[in-house]
Amino acid sequence: MVKNSLRRLNRYREIVSLFGKYGFGYIVEDVGLTHMLSMKAKIASDFKQGNMKSAGSRVRSLFEELGPTFVKMGQMLSIRSDLLPAEITIELEKLQDKVPPVPAGDIKDKILQELGFPVEELFHSFNEECVAAASIGQVHEAVLKDGSSVMVKVQRPGIKKNIFTDLQIMRDLSRLLEQRYDWARHYHLADMVDELAESIKKELDYLEEARNTETIGMQFDNHEKIKVPNIHWDYTTAYVLTMEKLTGIKLTELDRAGCSKECKRNIAELLAEAFLTQILKEGFFHGDPHPGNILYLPEKEQLGLIDFGQVGRLPARMRDDAANLMLGLMMEDTDLVVKALYRLAKVPHTVDENHFYDDIDRIRKKLSHMPLGELNLGYTIKEIFATAREHQIIIHKELTMMGKTLITFEGIIKDMDPAINIIELARPYGEALLLERYNPVNMGKRLWKDAEGLSSTLASMPGKVEELVGKTTDGHLKFEISLTEIKSILTKFDRMSNQISFSLTLLAFSIVVLGLIIGVTFGSQSILTGIPAMEIGFIIAFFMFLWILYSILKSGRF
């Protein structure tokens, strides 16, 4: 316990020191953590607010030096164009997740610990030199006893404990930022960190990745041209993942492999089919489709998809609205785009709807006037999300993942053939989706489902009304009040209490004056007659009255 606390404290100090090093010392100062800096770190820290133009590169350098947890967090934040300025997200997209590999001996020990047998007994052969090394795990080629070629992904020893420590510190920092900055409260920074933390934790669980792989594989069970590797469950745990090896060409090496223009066009169409099926039809899609995770298998002319540590999920209703958003852009229908956005986001009551509509219409018109070869659906959606941010509209995180996926796979297609247009490739799927949606049978099913939900709501309404009336009668009715409303209420209470205090003080002063008058009129001789007690008491009371009056007026709440 003591050891863990010391490790956490030392890591806290390291993080705070690096914030100062990269020009974010003013944040450390604002949230009250300067006491955690050593004298050397205080001297090295920059406590002045830096130039926003360089903020992006400084944030990227900071996250890279802070290590795996912050790199992962930065990569996930890079898709949040609805929350962060472009100069930040562009730099976060450049974050590198490459680290020196773990020694082969440590990897073998981890496999023994997880699978219960040494590598020599589990595999016919095991390549000690890793194929890829990242901050969380690394991949080795191997051959099973039955001759199957596999890829074995092994989590770095001790990495989970380090990441969990960083996540705890991130939560602390996010709450401190919410206490200090309005923007952090508005965007619910602590909740966002919790959501990102959950995503990182899922990446640490290789059983979760194995299940994701199987789910994506089932989407293409009957598709001969799209291949997802099979999972070898007997060789898989939360820390070791063993899957079928796909032998193919990376999409960045197609020219070197002699792939023709027609071949590239076929790959692009398969890629569009794969991702539009996942996003619009299944609502469960690859969240990190960079070129290294997509292979072309020339022997069977297949498209291979690998590495499902990050996935995106769109619930049925959100999937329909996301489809409406894309269809609205394809059909140049601003009304459809705006209506879809309102259902896909948290829209504040203060939003200027006409202004927002005009901004979206401007983006839509720009898209319709672009030459065919320059049309870019992914970046158009990203621009729409950024516009929503300017209007303080918060897009649901599932949609930002979809936007990032569209941008990535559209970029891959453009690299293969700049003349290929994703909107033209997507149009047949959009039209098929429209036909399916407005099919009388499907419409009837949706109406019936909505009617069931409405009837359930209506049936429960009398009970809800009775409960509301009961709580009101018993005095147990509760109201939700925002922080700004609480502040306004407290200010009014202050004004009322100050006015009451002033009235009571004035009354007391009046009584003192009255007592003085009576004392002078009906006073009698005593030992204290020679002492001007009444005059002294009057002076003291008068100055106390002036002091209370000054304090109330100074507060500005009278």
Side-chain angles (χ1 to χ4, degrees), residues 74-348:
Q75 289 170 341
M76 292 175 180
L77 284 172
S78 69
I79 69 175
R80 299 307 302 263
S81 58
D82 58 314
L83 299 180
L84 298 172
E87 56 266 25
I88 302 287
T89 56
I90 289 170
E91 287 294 328
L92 291 179
E93 288 171 1
K94 301 175 185 176
L95 280 169
Q96 297 298 310
D97 193 21
K98 293 182 179 179
V99 292
V102 174
D106 293 344
I107 292 296
K108 288 183 174 181
D109 289 343
K110 188 69 176 179
I111 292 174
L112 172 62
Q113 178 187 340
E114 288 298 310
L115 299 179
F117 296 94
V119 165
E120 292 74 19
E121 292 184 27
L122 290 168
F123 303 101
H124 179 267
S125 64
F126 184 87
N127 189 348
E128 293 188 357
E129 187 175 339
C130 72
V131 177
S135 54
I136 291 179
Q138 61 191 53
V139 181
H140 292 257
E141 292 181 336
V143 178
L144 296 178
K145 295 291 186 179
D146 63 4
S148 303
S149 296
V150 295
M151 307 298 284
V152 185
K153 189 174 181 180
V154 185
Q155 194 169 115
R156 285 173 172 266
I159 192 67
K160 191 170 187 175
K161 187 183 293 184
N162 294 337
I163 287 178
F164 276 32
T165 299
D166 280 356
L167 291 177
Q168 288 174 350
I169 294 172
M170 279 185 182
R171 287 192 183 97
D172 290 346
L173 292 174
S174 66
R175 282 159 178 74
L176 288 172
L177 289 169
E178 280 194 354
Q179 292 171 16
R180 178 64 182 82
Y181 297 110
D182 290 338
W183 61 265
R185 286 192 296 273
H186 174 75
Y187 289 112
H188 305 287
L189 184 64
D191 292 340
M192 191 195 310
V193 168
D194 286 341
E195 289 174 1
L196 294 172
E198 284 303 312
S199 298
I200 292 174
K201 285 179 182 178
K202 286 179 180 177
E203 276 200 67
L204 288 168
D205 183 357
Y206 286 172
L207 289 173
E208 180 82 11
E209 182 175 342
R211 287 189 288 268
N212 293 341
T213 306
E214 276 206 339
T215 302
I216 298 289
M218 286 189 287
Q219 295 175 359
F220 302 106
D221 261 349
N222 299 318
H223 201 300
E224 295 179 356
K225 296 294 183 180
I226 297 175
K227 174 68 176 172
V228 176
N230 295 315
I231 300 297
H232 291 269
W233 287 101
D234 291 341
Y235 301 85
T236 295
T237 71
Y239 299 92
V240 176
L241 173 61
T242 305
M243 70 189 86
E244 176 187 3
K245 179 184 176 182
L246 300 185
T247 304
I249 305 166
K250 291 182 179 179
L251 296 190
T252 52
E253 299 174 353
L254 291 176
D255 288 330
R256 202 184 313 171
C259 188
S260 65
K261 189 172 182 179
E262 183 181 355
C263 169
K264 289 181 181 178
R265 178 78 191 191
N266 290 336
I267 295 171
E269 288 178 353
L270 280 175
L271 195 60
E273 181 180 358
F275 281 95
L276 291 171
T277 297
Q278 290 174 63
I279 293 170
L280 298 181
K281 185 177 178 182
E282 303 292 342
F284 189 89
F285 56 93
H286 200 314
D288 189 23
H290 64 74
N293 290 337
I294 305 171
L295 303 172
Y296 177 58
L297 316 180
E299 190 175 332
K300 295 185 178 180
E301 296 183 345
Q302 291 177 314
L303 189 72
L305 305 177
I306 59 174
D307 194 354
F308 297 95
Q310 287 185 42
V311 293
R313 293 174 173 85
L314 291 177
R317 182 70 69 180
M318 193 176 287
R319 190 159 65 244
D320 286 344
D321 293 330
N324 282 338
L325 174 63
M326 295 173 68
L327 288 170
L329 290 171
M330 292 177 195
M331 297 161 58
E332 301 182 9
D333 186 339
T334 305
D335 285 331
L336 189 58
V337 173
V338 172
K339 286 176 182 175
L341 279 171
Y342 278 174
R343 288 192 294 268
L344 291 168
K346 294 177 182 177
V347 183

Side-chain angles (χ1 to χ4, degrees), residues 68 91 101 124 132 147 157 193 202 211 219 233 263 269 295 345 349 354 391 412 429 432 435-436 473 493 511 533 546:
E91 287 294 328
H124 179 267
V193 168
K202 286 179 180 177
R211 287 189 288 268
Q219 295 175 359
W233 287 101
C263 169
E269 288 178 353
L295 303 172
H349 67 277
N354 291 330
H391 289 267
I412 294 169
Y429 299 97
L435 288 173
E436 182 182 352
T473 305
F493 276 134
I511 292 171
L546 289 178

